[in-house]
Amino acid sequence: MTIYSKIIGTGSHLPDKILTNADLEKMVDTDDQWIQDRTGIKQRHVAGDGETTSTLAIEAAKKAFEVAGITAKDIDLIVVGTTTPDLIFPSTACLIQNALDCPGIAAFDVNAACSGSIYALAVADKFIKSGTHKRALVIGAETLTRMVDWNDRTTCVLFGDGASAIVLEATEEKEGVLSTHIHANGAHGDLLNATVGVSSGLKNEPNGGLKIRMKGNEVFKTAVMTLGRIVKETLKANDMKKTDIDWLIPHQANLRIITATAKKLSMSMDQVIVTVDKHGNTSAASVGLALDEAIKSGKVKRGDVLLLEAFGGGFTWGSALIQY
Ligand code: UT7
């Protein structure tokens, strides 16, 4: 008997504070037109005082539980995709578990940078498929603006904060997560990274010298190439054609990358969920935020076939094919 993971609830949460392109014009040598033309981003949400990755995630989780009609006591696994944990330890998953008051169940973080949403979903799905777990809370949550170099115009205009949550439940019907595909190539680690860390040492600079560094153009090209490959791999694994996909729900890094992937799938932009204009790149939160918005807006309906995909630092990339 094959077990599948069905999505029974989604939720999301964004900080109230919004940083527009006009705000950024006052901070670095940039302009609204350049940001919109090159990335599609108009604004992003930024965590305020007292807001952390876990506080955003807890709100998203509560909304997902409400939609699913369950409480935290009904889940038996928490997997959190994040690159910006509140603390090195306890893990963000443990902080979330404590706040939700569901002690005893397995809870851990997955760090796959912007592919964190897909990695967390893939891991939770495999736990459910193995038969050991029945209901999982899958979170993608980030506060990347806390490690952005606000003097670097090539990166600071790109990122935003937010959290998304998905509740998966075991089912014997062939529905929900049909397949997941995750990959990494550490040889491209230098394309996108944070330059300091616990073991390699912090610097005697503000924030310990923690900054995002990115070779944007190379990331762009690598992303378009790897996404093209993963789309083919996903369709082949499910013996499906491009036309079988109803919705593309991509990682929201750059509208031009999203458009290139849609073109590879011969999909019209009407079948693509785009939130990058409002959220910027929220890393591990982005695919879940887009999925939640697509469901809440009524675009995605039960039975629709969804292709979720993401890429990020590591280099990591992945996809999930879902029959919602
Ligand atoms: O989740 C995964 C994370 N990352 C990504 O997906 C990002 C992938 N990469 C990208 O989205 C794009 O490469 C960027 C949006 C980051 C940059 O766009 P680009 O078309 O690749 O621009 P570029 O880096 O080749 O820079 C073109 C010009 C440069 O000026 P010169 O050298 O031609 O005079 C930059 O200095 O644009 C300049 N530039 C800016 N100008 C105004 C770079 N950033 C800015 C800015 N405002 N914020």
Side-chain angles (χ1 to χ4, degrees), residues 17 28 34 46 64 133 179 188 193 202 217 236 256 261 273:
K17 188 175 160 194
V28 280
W34 189 95
V46 175
H133 291 71
S179 72
H188 296 313
N193 54 26
L202 302 175
N217 219 276
K236 194 170 169 214
R256 290 185 293 141
T261 311
I273 305 301

Side-chain angles (χ1 to χ4, degrees), residues 29-31 34-35 38-39 114 153-154 157-159 192 214 216-217 219-220 251 253-254 256-257 281 311-313:
D29 180 16
T30 190
D31 61 273
W34 189 95
I35 302 173
R38 307 311 292 162
T39 71
C114 298
R153 69 173 182 172
T154 67
V157 302
L158 303 174
F159 298 100
L192 175 55
M214 178 169 70
N217 219 276
V219 171
F220 191 100
H251 171 45
N254 184 316
R256 290 185 293 141
I257 298 177
N281 181 348
F311 61 93

Side-chain angles (χ1 to χ4, degrees), residues 3-23:
I3 304 172
Y4 289 89
S5 319
K6 182 183 175 172
I7 296 178
I8 60 165
T10 60
S12 51
H13 188 73
L14 293 156
D16 289 337
K17 188 175 160 194
I18 288 176
L19 191 69
T20 64
N21 291 350
D23 296 329

Side-chain angles (χ1 to χ4, degrees), residues 10 16 20 27 46 72 81 123 161 168 187 195 215 219-220 223 228 288 294 303 319:
T10 60
D16 289 337
T20 64
M27 297 162 65
V46 175
V123 170
D161 302 330
L168 295 178
T195 45
K215 295 177 183 163
V219 171
F220 191 100
S319 66

